Amino acid sequence: MYNKKFMELALASAKKVKIDIPVCALIVKNGEIISVKTNEKEKTNIVTSHAEILALNEANKKLKSWRLNDCDIYVTLEPCPMCGWAILSSRIKNLYFGSYDTVYGAFSNGFNFGKILNSKINVKGGIMEEECNKLLNDYFMGLRNENKA
């Protein structure tokens, strides 16, 4: 069962993103936050600097293990296939996300990563979806307005 306060914290962190697409991934173990990361692809010029990948890496270091058994990940946007595969590989127990990604989402469109390789991950999308959608829509509207100018 998800905890709304963790999604609220992820959304608050995503709102602070200035350069990149405002997405945050937050990893929790036993009710304690062990990692909070936002997208940094534009900031670092590294294509894999998605919030989920950065959060997984930090959690791996903190727990001194690539296995994140009994951890939950909260993400403001449904993970893409790259991040989805990393989440599955890390053995995260629960994935909770806000906005559905109708183009690149790895857990709700066509090929659902949560149903492959005997995955035991529990997936719940649409948490605070309206708020997450607004943040993303506002960001992309701002980009379109910049490009018109």
Side-chain angles (χ1 to χ4, degrees):
M1 181 71 178
Y2 73 91
N3 185 326
K4 188 177 176 184
K5 83 171 183 178
F6 293 128
M7 187 58 82
E8 289 170 344
L9 290 169
L11 187 57
S13 291
K15 287 179 179 178
K16 295 176 186 173
V17 174
K18 300 291 183 223
I19 299 169
D20 286 272
I21 297 172
V23 174
C24 178
L26 182 148
I27 298 178
V28 177
K29 183 167 183 163
N30 299 325
E32 180 185 337
I33 297 170
I34 59 171
S35 180
V36 180
K37 291 292 183 179
T38 58
N39 278 353
E40 294 184 0
K41 192 165 66 170
E42 295 294 334
K43 178 180 171 184
T44 63
N45 286 313
I46 298 172
V47 72
T48 57
S49 290
H50 290 204
E52 300 94 328
I53 299 296
L54 298 173
L56 290 168
N57 289 341
E58 183 174 73
N60 294 144
K61 287 177 188 170
K62 283 187 179 177
L63 297 178
K64 295 179 174 68
S65 175
W66 64 266
R67 293 174 186 87
L68 298 178
N69 301 7
D70 299 320
C71 289
D72 300 332
I73 187 167
Y74 290 78
V75 189
T76 55
L77 175 63
E78 179 181 2
C80 71
M82 175 183 69
C83 296
W85 194 259
I87 289 167
L88 286 183
S89 297
S90 73
R91 300 183 182 166
I92 288 271
K93 184 176 183 179
N94 298 296
L95 163 63
Y96 303 115
F97 65 86
S99 293
Y100 286 89
D101 187 333
T102 58
V103 177
Y104 299 110
F107 291 91
S108 68
N109 298 315
F111 190 71
N112 184 337
F113 277 36
K115 295 184 179 188
I116 59 176
L117 289 178
N118 299 320
S119 172
K120 293 177 178 55
I121 193 168
N122 298 307
V123 179
K124 169 89 172 115
I127 300 166
M128 297 183 65
E129 183 176 11
E130 189 174 313
E131 296 93 328
C132 292
N133 286 347
K134 181 178 179 349
L135 179 61
L136 291 166
N137 289 336
D138 289 351
Y139 171 79
F140 286 111
M141 181 68 74
L143 281 183
R144 282 191 290 278
N145 289 339
E146 280 179 25
N147 289 337
K148 286 181 184 177

